[in-house]
Amino acid sequence: MTTDFKHHQSAHCENGVASNLLKHNGLNISEPMVFGIGSGLFFVYLPFVKVNHAPAFSYRPLPGMIFSRLAKRLGVKIKRQKFSGSQAAEKALDDNLQKNIPSGLQVGVYNLTYFPDDYRFHFNAHNLVVYGKENDNYLISDPVMETVTTLTAEELDRVRFAKGAFAPKGQIYYPVHIPKEIDFKTAITKAIKATCRDMLAPMPIIGVAGMKYVAKQIRKWPVKLGVRKANHYLAQIVRMQEEIGTGGGGFRFIYAAFLQEASVIMESNALKQLSFEMTEIGDMWRDFALEASRVYKQRSAKQDVYNVLAGQLTAIANREEEFFKKLRKAV
């Protein structure tokens, strides 16, 4: 059971799966356009949710929302299924492969045998495509990998039914209808407005307000929690930003590429200029992550490092607040 599915590497798993599945079904859409129309740019601080004994930070919406928003705005229909047991989940996937339907899966990362050990931790919102089966081996297109790979039926079942937060429950999804005519201009406008609304939301843990709140917390952590725990929390920020699903800096670069593409479709020089500005903001996120990593690895010689980091994050928040106000006006 194999198809002529073409593997394209991407920066982020959900964007990559969506782009690859749509390309296979005749809609040539890039990863940045998937991310932008799916309003993938986000920030939320969840102090009441603990991941690896530290608060949760997310730079993206809930798993599946990027593809769902994209589909709604483009008029694409997606079929999604979850399962209570392995047998039904495997049968549904095999049925699709018999019909030459490559299928997206949500899986846990910890037991992905082709991942390097450093990247295998308990995170259940990873996405990949299964495009075929040879004997007991499933053919895997994981968009964050350079080439295709395989998993045995047992290995795939283990990651499909990983336990814990965002347990995938064998989830499978794939497009079942793509309209012949797509209004990209309307979709882009709606998507940008939604992203601006999210990032400028008047809530203390969301968007730029959330960033400013986290900056204030960073100043308090070493005294309130002790240096060891404060450094563990900093490591969590960086891991969520740079390792889990691209995050802060990487997402800004993808969004900048989206604005570049959108500027051509919308015939808007303002969007083109804002794409350059978003790239600069991405660089600021990367500088923040680098400085934070030096602190929790105890390699920083700077005095008052927590206030320095808090100042960097506040500067990013202020820059993004100004950016999203200009972007909102541009559409």
Side-chain angles (χ1 to χ4, degrees):
M1 294 185 285
T2 61
T3 67
D4 59 350
F5 185 82
K6 291 184 179 179
H7 172 83
H8 300 272
Q9 190 175 19
S10 66
H12 177 249
C13 65
E14 188 175 342
N15 301 333
V17 166
S19 175
N20 285 342
L21 286 178
L22 292 173
K23 283 178 179 176
H24 180 79
N25 285 276
L27 177 58
N28 188 18
I29 185 169
S30 69
E31 178 188 8
M33 192 58 67
V34 166
F35 183 69
I37 295 179
S39 294
L41 204 64
F42 192 54
F43 181 86
V44 63
Y45 171 51
L46 301 171
F48 41 83
V49 176
K50 293 295 189 287
V51 178
N52 295 323
H53 309 289
F57 303 86
S58 182
Y59 298 80
R60 52 152 298 158
L62 288 169
M65 285 190 70
I66 294 174
F67 200 2
S68 294
R69 288 170 173 174
L70 168 77
K72 184 178 180 180
R73 289 166 184 160
L74 296 185
V76 173
K77 292 181 181 177
I78 305 170
K79 184 172 183 178
R80 290 183 184 270
Q81 293 173 276
K82 291 186 179 181
F83 305 90
S84 57
S86 300
Q87 190 173 354
E90 184 174 349
K91 183 180 185 304
L93 177 58
D94 286 352
D95 286 348
N96 272 9
L97 298 179
Q98 288 278 11
K99 299 171 187 172
N100 294 322
I101 301 174
S103 303
L105 302 183
Q106 181 182 328
V107 300
V109 167
Y110 187 75
N111 288 303
L112 278 179
T113 51
Y114 56 81
F115 262 28
D117 288 344
D118 289 346
Y119 288 91
R120 292 172 61 183
F121 50 94
H122 294 286
F123 177 69
N124 292 331
H126 188 61
N127 294 268
L128 52 80
V129 174
V130 178
Y131 66 93
K133 187 179 185 181
E134 294 177 348
N135 300 318
D136 191 48
N137 290 320
Y138 284 96
L139 309 182
I140 308 295
S141 168
D142 188 321
V144 303
M145 304 299 289
E146 188 173 351
T147 59
V148 295
T149 186
T150 63
L151 289 171
T152 66
E154 183 182 351
E155 289 169 341
L156 184 60
D157 181 70
R158 192 178 300 128
V159 297
R160 291 184 75 184
F161 286 92
K163 306 297 183 184
F166 302 118
K169 298 179 181 177
Q171 182 174 171
I172 184 172
Y173 58 93
Y174 49 96
V176 292
H177 171 73
I178 297 175
K180 292 180 181 179
E181 301 279 333
I182 291 180
D183 184 355
F184 275 99
K185 286 188 176 182
T186 299
I188 288 168
T189 301
K190 286 182 178 178
I192 288 176
K193 286 180 177 179
T195 299
C196 292
R197 185 171 61 247
D198 288 345
M199 295 303 294
L200 297 172
M203 295 180 67
I205 62 171
I206 291 176
V208 295
M211 296 174 204
K212 292 177 182 180
Y213 182 70
V214 171
K216 291 177 182 177
Q217 297 305 304
I218 290 173
R219 297 184 195 277
K220 300 175 183 177
W221 283 346
V223 175
K224 184 179 178 181
L225 306 173
V227 171
R228 184 177 178 182
K229 198 167 186 179
N231 286 352
H232 179 61
Y233 281 21
L234 282 179
Q236 176 85 322
I237 294 177
V238 174
R239 168 174 270 191
M240 293 287 191
Q241 177 183 327
E242 299 297 328
E243 296 176 13
I244 298 179
T246 310
F251 275 173
R252 269 68 190 169
F253 298 135
I254 297 173
Y255 201 74
F258 158 68
L259 292 176
Q260 189 88 28
E261 281 192 54
S263 71
V264 176
I265 295 170
M266 305 292 285
E267 299 176 341
S268 169
N269 191 56
L271 292 182
K272 184 178 180 180
Q273 294 305 313
L274 286 167
S275 74
F276 299 138
E277 190 170 335
M278 180 50 80
T279 300
E280 293 173 1
I281 293 171
D283 290 335
M284 293 174 72
W285 276 106
R286 285 284 156 86
D287 290 343
F288 168 78
L290 180 61
E291 193 60 48
S293 67
R294 286 178 179 145
V295 174
Y296 66 74
K297 291 178 181 177
Q298 299 180 336
R299 295 174 184 169
S300 177
K302 290 185 178 180
Q303 298 295 315
D304 203 19
V305 287
Y306 297 97
N307 281 325
V308 170
L309 287 172
Q312 279 186 283
L313 188 54
T314 300
I316 292 170
N318 289 336
R319 183 80 183 271
E320 290 210 356
E321 183 174 18
E322 180 185 351
F323 171 87
F324 286 109
K325 286 178 179 177
K326 286 192 286 188
L327 180 60
R328 187 170 57 189
K329 287 182 179 178
V331 293

